[in-house]
Amino acid sequence: MLDPRTLYNTDADVFDDPGSRGLPLLVSLTGFMDAGQVVSQVSEELLEVLEHETVAEFDADQLMDYRGRRPKITFVEDHLTDYQPHRLELHRLHDGLGEPFLLLTGAEPDLQWERFASAVVGLVEDLEVSLVSWVHAIPMPVPHTRPIGVTLHGNRSDIIDGMNAWRPTAEIQASIGHVLELRLIEAGHDVVGHVIHVPHYLSEAEYPPAAVAGLEYLGATARLVLPTDRLRETGRDVERQIARQVGNSAEVQSVVASLEKRYDEYADGAARRSLLVKENSELASADELGAAVEAYLASPQAEEESTLLWDTEFLGTTPIDYGSRGDREEPTAPEGHDDDGPSGPEPRSLA
C-alpha cells in the first residue's frame, strides 16, 4: 500500500493547534444509499450554519471515478462556469454552545478504500479524536406519521444498548463508512454509526425531518448541540404539504394507514422491536431477512404503494416546494397542530 499520509494535505495552523486535539469526529459522506438525502442535508446544514476551518483536504483525483460519478459544471449562454469538483475534507467547527468538533465530509471515495481508511485512522490518532460518529440513511416500510427510527452500531455499548432493543443480522453491501468503522475499532478507537430509517416512498426526495433526526442522534452521541432550526422549519412546511396531499386521496390514505398499522403492531409494548423481527420475537436469520426484504420490494403491494405515492401530487406532478432555507416567510401552523410541528426523535440523556 502506498503511504496513506500522501492522500491529504493539512493546514498547519489548524492541524497543529492544541484546540484541534481530543475532539469528537462526525463523518458524513455522500454516495451510499442516502435515503431522503439525509447525509447531504446534514453536511450542508453543518457547514452553512456553523463557522468552520479546514484541517485537511484529501486528493480527490486519487480517490474518485470521474466517469462513474461526474462532477457538475454550469453552461451559461456561451461559456462554462461554476465547476464543482469532488471534495473530501476534514473541518473543525464549533457547535451551538461553542464546543469544537471535527467533521469529515464530502463524496464517498470510489477507489483505494483501504488506503483512505488508513489515512483516516492516522488522522484520528494524530488528532487524538475522542469518538467517531457517522450517519447514513436507508429506505424502510414505515409511515411518515410516526417518529423517525434509527439503528445504532459500533463498539460503544453504553450508547448503543440504550437506543437499540433489537439486533438483526444481515449481509449488506458495504460503504466506506462501514470500512472506516471496522478499521477504527481494530485500531482501538470508539465508533458509533447511525442508520436513519426513511419512509420508502420518500426516499428519493429531500426529507428534512429525517435529517433533523440524523443531527439529533449525532449530537446526542457526541454531546454536541447541532443546528436543526432551519431544517425543522422546512420540515414543517413539507409535513403540512404531505398531510394536505394525503388528505386529497383516499387511496394514499389507505396506503399510509396500512403502514401505520404495521408500524404500531411492531412498536406496541414497552420494548422497541425491529420491523424485521419475526412474530415469535426470534431474530430472522440472514437468509430469512434477505428473502423478506426482497419479497417485499418485489411484491405488488410495495410496487403499488410506491407508484401510487409517486404518481400523485405527493411527489410527482406537483413536487413539494422546499424553497430556500435562508430567506423564507415564517410558516403558520395549521389549525389543530402544535406550532412546534413534527420533530425527530427525543434522544435519551447521555449524561
Side-chain angles (χ1 to χ4, degrees), residues 219-231:
T221 299
R223 300 176 182 271
L224 297 170
V225 178
L226 302 180
T228 60
D229 288 349
R230 298 196 311 173
L231 286 171

Side-chain angles (χ1 to χ4, degrees), residues 164-346:
N164 289 351
W166 59 87
R167 300 180 183 277
T169 299
E171 183 175 279
I172 59 176
Q173 292 183 329
S175 72
I176 188 59
H178 298 126
V179 175
L180 283 175
E181 180 174 314
L182 287 174
R183 299 298 176 248
L184 285 163
I185 291 175
E186 289 171 355
H189 302 288
D190 289 344
V191 184
V192 177
H194 305 75
V195 186
I196 305 300
H197 304 170
V198 177
H200 68 284
Y201 50 86
L202 292 170
S203 63
E204 298 298 323
E206 187 177 276
Y207 190 49
V212 169
L215 284 165
E216 287 186 335
Y217 279 117
L218 285 171
T221 299
R223 300 176 182 271
L224 297 170
V225 178
L226 302 180
T228 60
D229 288 349
R230 298 196 311 173
L231 286 171
R232 286 185 188 279
E233 178 183 327
T234 306
R236 286 193 287 266
D237 290 346
V238 171
E239 292 283 8
R240 284 195 286 269
Q241 292 181 60
I242 292 174
R244 182 169 59 251
Q245 293 163 4
V246 169
N248 291 335
S249 171
E251 291 179 295
V252 174
Q253 291 176 41
S254 176
V255 170
V256 174
S258 175
L259 291 171
E260 289 174 338
K261 182 175 182 294
R262 277 184 283 169
Y263 181 99
D264 292 341
E265 286 174 351
Y266 282 106
D268 188 29
R272 287 176 293 171
R273 298 175 57 198
S274 169
L275 297 178
L276 300 175
V277 172
K278 297 187 290 186
E279 291 183 2
N280 60 4
S281 296
E282 294 180 1
L283 290 175
S285 67
D287 290 340
E288 290 172 325
L289 185 63
V293 173
E294 290 178 7
Y296 173 79
L297 294 177
S299 68
Q301 179 185 2
E303 182 178 359
E304 179 182 352
E305 289 175 356
S306 296
T307 301
L308 176 61
L309 291 167
W310 189 267
D311 288 344
T312 62
E313 286 186 315
F314 207 3
L315 291 174
T317 56
T318 307
I320 294 171
D321 178 16
Y322 294 94
S324 62
R325 297 178 187 166
D327 186 15
R328 305 263 302 285
E329 294 183 1
E330 184 67 25
T332 302
E335 184 177 352
H337 286 68
D338 186 87
D339 187 57
D340 287 337
S343 64
E346 294 293 335

Side-chain angles (χ1 to χ4, degrees), residues 23 29 69 88 93 142 160 162 174 186 202 204 257 280:
L23 307 180
L29 300 177
R69 182 167 40 171
L88 247 175
L93 302 87
V142 294
I160 296 170
E186 289 171 355
L202 292 170
E204 298 298 323
N280 60 4

